[in-house]
Amino acid sequence: MMRQARSEATRRKIITSAVELFNEIGYPATGLGDIIERAEMTKGALYYHFDSKESLATAIIEESSAHLVDAFRSITSSSAPALESIIHGVFVVADLLSTDQIARSGTQLLRAFGEFNEAAARTYGSWVAEMTERTRQGIDEGDLRGHLDPQAVGETIVGSMLGAELLANAATGGADVLQRVARTWRVLLPAIVSQESLSYFDEFLARESMRHSPAPVAD
């Protein structure tokens, strides 16, 4: 048990060091030697847990994805209307992307590995499946337009939120991701919400945006 705990602590230190470096200088510029130096351990210790930089990146993607999906599901598993849960859950995930280093690094690695990494493909697939199911519930509840294709809406929401995160990261280092998410929802809601529910969800979005707005800086 003691050996297992030490092994897990070593693995955690490697991941933490890699995440720090990936966020500081980027994945391409980070070498395994840099990670070994930052983690203050031997090459053998790193290779015991990860046989390449890509396998280390895959572990970060998987951990980040699990953390973000769990956070989203903790919101959407409530008894609230499905669309409320989707909107609130997306804000929670966006907040994590601006504050949690592993979540941020994992999302950046998703873009780098999206075309040829199985972990990235699984992550995108799980997000689309999750959003499609919540969209289907929203249609059944009457808040989303009945003629909509749940899969298409799920893909659109996921793509829009990823795009908001990408633009925020490029323009402000992720500092305004919550504001960009709010603006994205303002565009999406009129296209997908039933006429009877639109005014309610406009107000719900306004309240959610206020809740997640940065606190004003004191003079």
Side-chain angles (χ1 to χ4, degrees), residues 75-145:
I75 303 301
T76 57
S77 62
S78 72
S79 58
L83 185 54
E84 281 191 16
S85 296
I86 291 172
I87 294 171
H88 181 46
V90 166
F91 271 101
V92 168
V93 168
D95 199 19
L96 282 171
L97 288 173
S98 64
T99 59
D100 187 283
Q101 288 231 20
I102 289 181
R104 184 177 178 184
S105 182
T107 302
Q108 292 171 352
L109 290 169
L110 272 175
R111 290 195 291 270
F113 288 98
E115 294 182 9
F116 54 88
N117 184 284
E118 290 184 5
R122 286 196 302 271
T123 296
Y124 286 131
S126 66
W127 272 116
V128 170
E130 190 75 27
M131 210 64 76
T132 297
E133 179 57 29
R134 303 306 166 201
T135 298
R136 189 174 287 110
Q137 291 177 14
I139 292 172
D140 291 343
E141 292 168 358
D143 290 324
L144 294 174
R145 298 176 186 269

Side-chain angles (χ1 to χ4, degrees), residues 3-129:
R3 180 178 298 175
Q4 183 178 351
R6 285 200 301 269
S7 177
E8 179 55 34
T10 299
R11 185 178 186 277
R12 172 55 41 201
K13 193 170 184 180
I14 294 168
I15 288 176
T16 299
S17 298
V19 165
E20 290 173 354
L21 286 163
F22 293 165
N23 285 338
E24 289 169 14
I25 63 175
Y27 176 84
T30 301
L32 288 177
D34 300 317
I35 298 169
I36 290 167
E37 183 178 352
R38 176 67 64 94
E40 298 180 330
M41 61 183 54
T42 66
K43 184 185 294 185
L46 185 145
Y47 279 108
Y48 176 80
H49 293 278
F50 304 102
D51 60 11
S52 65
K53 191 169 71 165
E54 183 178 344
S55 69
L56 177 51
T58 297
I60 294 170
I61 289 172
E62 290 175 340
E63 183 171 332
S64 167
S65 174
H67 183 38
L68 293 174
V69 169
D70 285 349
F72 184 79
R73 285 177 178 164
S74 72
I75 303 301
T76 57
S77 62
S78 72
S79 58
L83 185 54
E84 281 191 16
S85 296
I86 291 172
I87 294 171
H88 181 46
V90 166
F91 271 101
V92 168
V93 168
D95 199 19
L96 282 171
L97 288 173
S98 64
T99 59
D100 187 283
Q101 288 231 20
I102 289 181
R104 184 177 178 184
S105 182
T107 302
Q108 292 171 352
L109 290 169
L110 272 175
R111 290 195 291 270
F113 288 98
E115 294 182 9
F116 54 88
N117 184 284
E118 290 184 5
R122 286 196 302 271
T123 296
Y124 286 131
S126 66
W127 272 116
V128 170

Side-chain angles (χ1 to χ4, degrees), residues 168-215:
N169 192 58
T172 64
D176 66 342
V177 64
L178 293 167
Q179 294 94 317
R180 289 177 185 273
V181 164
R183 292 201 295 269
T184 300
W185 275 118
R186 291 190 197 102
V187 174
L188 286 177
L189 288 183
I192 64 175
V193 178
S194 65
Q195 196 60 44
E196 297 78 12
S197 299
L198 184 56
S199 61
Y200 172 81
F201 281 101
D202 280 339
E203 294 175 4
F204 180 81
L205 175 59
R207 292 195 301 272
E208 199 68 17
S209 300
M210 287 287 292
R211 286 178 59 191
H212 294 276
S213 295

Side-chain angles (χ1 to χ4, degrees), residues 138-182:
I139 292 172
D140 291 343
E141 292 168 358
D143 290 324
L144 294 174
R145 298 176 186 269
H147 69 276
L148 293 172
D149 176 354
Q151 176 87 13
V153 175
E155 291 175 351
T156 299
I157 293 173
V158 171
S160 297
M161 299 311 145
L162 287 171
E165 188 275 335
L166 174 61
L167 288 171
N169 192 58
T172 64
D176 66 342
V177 64
L178 293 167
Q179 294 94 317
R180 289 177 185 273
V181 164

